[in-house]
Amino acid sequence: MPRLPGYRHAHLPARVHAIARHLSREVLIFLLFIAASAMTLNIFMQARGLEEGQPRFGLASMLDGSADQPFVKRQLLPRLANFLTELVPANERDAFVQYHLDKYHLKDAYFGRARLPNAGQETWSADYALKYHLIYFFMFASLLGTLYLLRALGHDLIPSDNPLAPVLPVFFALLLPLSYLHGNFLYDFSELFFFSALLFAAFKGSYIWWLVLLPLAVLNKETAILVPLLYAPLLYSNCRSWAQRSAILGSLVLAGGVFWGIGQEYASNPGSDTQWHLFGNLAFWTQPASYFLWADLYAPLIPVPRGFNLLLIGAFSLLVFHNWRAHPLVLRRLFWAALLINLPLFFLFTYRDEMRNLSMLFIPTYLLATHALLLYPNPKTPSA
């Protein structure tokens, strides 16, 4: 059998072992990511479910377009679920649900069983069951995809030989339920996915992906129209060619069209574009007790720091701001941009300490915390 020049048979076992080690590591990371995503989704579903029975923003009203503004405008997952359900013939849906879906007992586990339930109830039909399962799967897939995107971002931005580096996204998922105080919504996990995907595409200079990702992100939640401002420090530094600039401009035009179109479609629905909470928030944040609150967000009777609890904020602040100048400049700028955009919106339009509405800060904060953890053994490492 002919051999390639320089080939040595003795090297074959070492290569096989290297491939086997790589595959085993990837399988273990995959299982960890699966477990972390499933755990986070399970906590979310046990706490609020899909808000079934809530006429203003429950699943049924989101699916049929009767929900209040601004919730009804967040139509990516509802429309995708409606579209895929239509692919199953109407006369076969009962059998499809009974044969393929009922065995997973999603209805028994979550439907109408949230710890913080709504007063109303929704009818569990074959159509509804299909859409319920699809939304559930989309949420899980968004979480899992986010973890892999965070891993990729960390690998590119924070090169490290630390064996913990590939699994640090698990900590992101494990801590995410701390933001669930007043309930998450079906579009929150996909929002994090789009934030991560758009940032990863920008870091790679692959702005052609923005033509798809940004309009979809706006259809998922209209505040994604602010992403170009959110990532402006990165766009300014690495958007050099006319092709890249044209892709960004095109994505803005498409996203603007989605933003306008969805607003026009649901302009007659009850509600408004925003919910004003400034004065209630001022009353809440001027009370010292607001910084020492706890809640059983993970399991009953197991309290964890809630919202702006000083223990929680102090831990994150220490990770992010200690040895601040050692962090890569681009990460520092992304953090400040997110803070300047997200914090005013949080205090104006968010109800008290509903931390999920600081989602624009989640990815930059995670990356800074990751850099701090990986930098800790050698704090004199120069910044990128």
Side-chain angles (χ1 to χ4, degrees):
M1 179 177 177
R3 295 179 179 179
L4 296 174
Y7 176 85
R8 294 183 181 179
H9 180 74
H11 287 177
L12 180 60
R15 291 174 182 172
V16 171
H17 292 158
I19 293 172
R21 284 196 300 270
H22 175 76
L23 287 176
S24 62
R25 185 186 71 168
E26 291 304 312
V27 169
L28 288 174
I29 290 173
F30 175 69
L31 292 175
L32 279 172
F33 283 9
I34 288 277
S37 300
M39 184 217 73
T40 301
L41 179 58
N42 181 60
I43 293 172
F44 162 71
M45 293 295 292
Q46 287 183 339
R48 304 298 305 211
L50 295 179
E51 301 288 358
E52 54 267 20
Q54 168 57 259
R56 292 179 56 235
F57 45 73
L59 178 59
S61 59
M62 291 291 286
L63 289 168
D64 66 18
S66 64
D68 286 7
Q69 299 185 68
F71 310 102
V72 71
K73 297 176 183 179
R74 295 149 192 184
Q75 280 291 308
L76 177 63
L77 298 192
R79 291 194 177 192
L80 189 54
N82 286 333
F83 171 76
L84 292 176
T85 297
E86 290 300 317
L87 298 181
V88 180
N91 62 344
E92 298 178 11
R93 288 174 195 167
D94 282 319
F96 184 91
V97 169
Q98 291 175 15
Y99 184 78
H100 293 289
L101 301 180
D102 282 351
K103 59 185 175 183
Y104 297 109
H105 302 288
L106 209 60
K107 178 184 178 183
D108 298 330
Y110 300 127
F111 182 69
R113 296 180 178 272
R115 286 201 296 140
L116 304 170
N118 292 296
Q121 189 54 275
E122 295 174 2
T123 302
W124 186 274
S125 63
D127 278 19
Y128 185 91
L130 266 171
K131 296 169 186 178
Y132 193 99
H133 284 76
L134 285 167
I135 294 288
Y136 179 85
F137 176 77
F138 295 153
M139 291 162 62
F140 173 77
S142 297
L143 271 172
L144 184 62
T146 299
L147 297 192
Y148 271 101
L149 285 165
L150 291 179
R151 180 190 176 188
L153 283 166
H155 180 270
D156 287 351
L157 282 166
I158 314 164
S160 173
D161 295 328
N162 191 313
L164 285 177
V167 299
L168 284 178
V170 169
F171 292 95
F172 178 87
L174 292 176
L175 294 176
L176 199 56
L178 292 173
S179 68
Y180 292 177
L181 180 61
H182 296 294
N184 273 38
F185 295 94
L186 58 88
Y187 45 77
D188 285 331
F189 297 146
S190 44
E191 179 188 37
L192 293 175
F193 172 80
F194 283 116
F195 281 163
S196 305
L198 286 160
L199 184 58
F200 182 68
F203 270 118
K204 290 295 188 181
S206 302
Y207 290 102
I208 193 71
W209 283 102
W210 277 45
L211 291 167
V212 176
L213 291 171
L214 190 58
L216 290 177
V218 171
L219 184 59
N220 181 71
K221 190 176 181 183
E222 71 282 358
T223 50
I225 198 73
L226 298 173
V227 163
L229 287 176
L230 191 66
Y231 297 156
L234 183 60
L235 305 187
Y236 179 79
S237 64
N238 81 339
C239 185
R240 304 290 185 182
S241 69
W242 281 108
Q244 290 175 320
R245 294 168 185 168
S246 299
I248 293 173
L249 181 61
S251 68
L252 277 170
V253 170
L254 292 173
V258 170
F259 184 88
W260 180 83
I262 208 77
Q264 291 297 305
E265 183 172 352
Y266 296 107
S268 60
N269 283 48
S272 60
D273 291 335
T274 57
Q275 294 181 320
W276 186 262
H277 289 293
L278 176 61
F279 298 114
N281 287 341
L282 288 174
F284 178 79
W285 292 114
T286 51
Q287 297 176 13
S290 300
Y291 303 94
F292 298 93
L293 297 174
W294 298 73
D296 54 347
L297 301 173
Y298 286 85
L301 290 178
I302 309 297
V304 292
R306 159 185 162 174
F308 273 69
N309 183 298
L310 290 181
L311 178 65
L312 181 63
I313 297 303
F316 276 106
S317 297
L318 186 62
L319 268 179
V320 168
F321 293 109
H322 176 65
N323 206 17
W324 172 255
R325 297 193 65 80
H327 292 304
L329 180 61
V330 65
L331 287 187
R332 286 181 273 152
R333 288 178 172 173
L334 285 171
F335 177 83
W336 288 125
L339 193 71
L340 289 171
I341 294 170
N342 206 171
L343 207 57
L345 297 175
F346 179 81
F347 285 113
L348 289 172
F349 306 121
T350 293
Y351 180 73
R352 296 186 175 182
D353 52 347
E354 195 173 2
M355 300 296 286
R356 68 180 188 84
N357 283 320
L358 287 174
S359 54
M360 293 180 184
L361 274 163
F362 286 4
I363 308 302
T365 301
Y366 164 79
L367 292 171
L368 287 169
T370 296
H371 186 257
L373 289 170
L374 297 177
L375 188 71
Y376 179 74
N378 183 21
K380 294 183 179 180
T381 301
S383 61

